[in-house]
Amino acid sequence: MDASRLLVVSLRTRRVIKTISAPGVHGVLAVSQLGRVFVSATDAHEVITLDARTHAVLAHAPAGAYPDGIAYDPVERHVFVSDETGGVQTVINARGHRIATISLGGEAGNVQYDAGSHRVLVDVQTRNDVAVIDPQTNQVVRRVALSGCSHDHGLLVDAARRLAFVACDGNATLLTIDLRHLKVIGRSTVGASPDVLAFDSSLRRLCVAAESGEVAVFAEGRHGVRKLGQARLAPFAHTVAVDSQTHLVYFPLQSGSAGRPQLLVMAPR
């Protein structure tokens, strides 16, 4: 993001095959159903829509003061973008055009779509709660208080198990939410300033990456998670992605083993 470049990497050859300008890029979401990639270009205060095959830029849409996390609703075919400091959700249609903004009443953390309830969930960091949005009306219809959480930022939904996981970067805590009853049912410690969460839906493993460089890994059961381990990986190892088919875990690092930026690829034991 500090280089303002979006890199396209081949998972087969493990080489960078395309570099795209994206000022202050933060969130990236590929939507195979649409053949589109949506990118929050934070420094340009916009969302960029790309063709997933050709990587051509198809649209630019204003997305508030600090666009960050992105989620996709496959029913309405809308994209939700968190404007962190602006305290709103920007709603983008499949063509990449802004169609609505939703006030959250506080800073917007990450956002996820819950296929089980057909609702959009978004962390509201300065309220220490999760806002539940009806994507048909683009209105906040409920709030979930997060007891024991300071500044909820990371968010991941496992719709199949009716669980959600919230990373609180103010007190290095991971909360487990029962989506059936919308209440906190578990908590665990993670690395300082947790950021991105990734989930292997085949192995049922949850990774929590933190600004401190620590990564925590959890095994998911039917009613929550159990920590398998936690260790320091690399400075600022705060972004993680998981491939549920190969089980490979990807960490983009600003300073790798050779002293330059690299994509670290890891496999579970």
Side-chain angles (χ1 to χ4, degrees):
M1 57 191 174
D2 290 342
S4 293
R5 294 183 296 169
L6 174 68
L7 305 181
V8 183
V9 179
S10 167
L11 298 185
R12 293 186 178 89
T13 65
R14 295 181 182 171
R15 293 179 181 273
V16 176
I17 59 174
K18 181 80 172 182
T19 300
I20 301 165
S21 176
V25 56
H26 273 68
V28 180
L29 181 67
V31 180
S32 57
Q33 178 182 342
L34 301 176
R36 299 286 186 266
V37 178
F38 299 91
V39 180
S40 57
T42 306
D43 292 352
H45 315 295
E46 66 180 14
V47 172
I48 302 172
T49 303
L50 306 173
D51 184 295
R53 182 178 60 85
T54 66
H55 311 131
V57 175
L58 303 177
H60 297 262
Y66 198 97
D68 191 354
I70 308 176
Y72 177 64
D73 172 2
V75 177
E76 299 297 320
R77 294 166 63 92
H78 291 164
V79 175
F80 289 77
V81 183
S82 291
D83 174 5
E84 185 169 0
T85 58
V88 302
Q89 282 292 305
T90 299
V91 187
I92 308 292
N93 66 16
R95 294 180 296 170
H97 299 157
R98 183 174 67 177
I99 58 174
T101 58
I102 306 166
S103 177
L104 298 172
E107 285 185 359
N110 215 334
V111 57
Q112 290 270 287
Y113 176 74
D114 175 22
S117 65
H118 304 295
R119 295 287 191 261
V120 173
L121 308 182
V122 55
D123 289 324
V124 187
Q125 300 174 158
T126 46
R127 293 175 57 106
N128 296 322
D129 69 17
V130 170
V132 181
I133 296 170
D134 182 343
Q136 290 188 324
T137 63
N138 289 326
Q139 298 288 328
V140 175
V141 295
R142 186 166 177 176
R143 292 187 180 273
V144 182
L146 301 176
S147 175
C149 180
S150 174
H151 208 262
D152 49 314
H153 180 70
L155 178 64
L156 187 137
V157 168
D158 179 7
R161 290 274 175 93
R162 307 306 300 134
L163 296 173
F165 305 100
V166 175
C168 309
D169 62 12
N171 61 341
T173 299
L174 178 74
L175 300 184
T176 301
I177 298 177
D178 178 345
L179 290 176
R180 292 182 177 86
H181 302 101
L182 292 177
K183 67 177 184 179
V184 176
I185 59 171
R187 50 181 46 82
S188 179
T189 57
V190 291
S193 299
D195 189 0
V196 178
L197 285 67
F199 184 61
D200 186 326
S201 58
S202 300
L203 293 181
R204 320 300 305 183
R205 287 189 178 181
L206 175 71
C207 295
V208 182
E211 296 277 1
S212 63
E214 293 178 274
V215 177
V217 181
F218 297 83
E220 185 198 50
R222 292 197 173 275
H223 306 293
V225 291
R226 172 177 54 87
K227 185 186 284 188
L228 297 177
Q230 179 176 323
R232 180 175 171 81
L233 180 65
F236 308 108
H238 64 103
T239 302
V240 58
V242 177
D243 186 333
S244 293
Q245 293 182 337
T246 64
H247 311 303
L248 295 177
V249 187
Y250 297 86
F251 294 92
L253 305 176
Q254 71 178 44
S255 180
S257 56
R260 61 178 184 270
Q262 69 175 23
L263 182 64
L264 180 65
V265 185
M266 303 187 75
R269 293 189 300 186

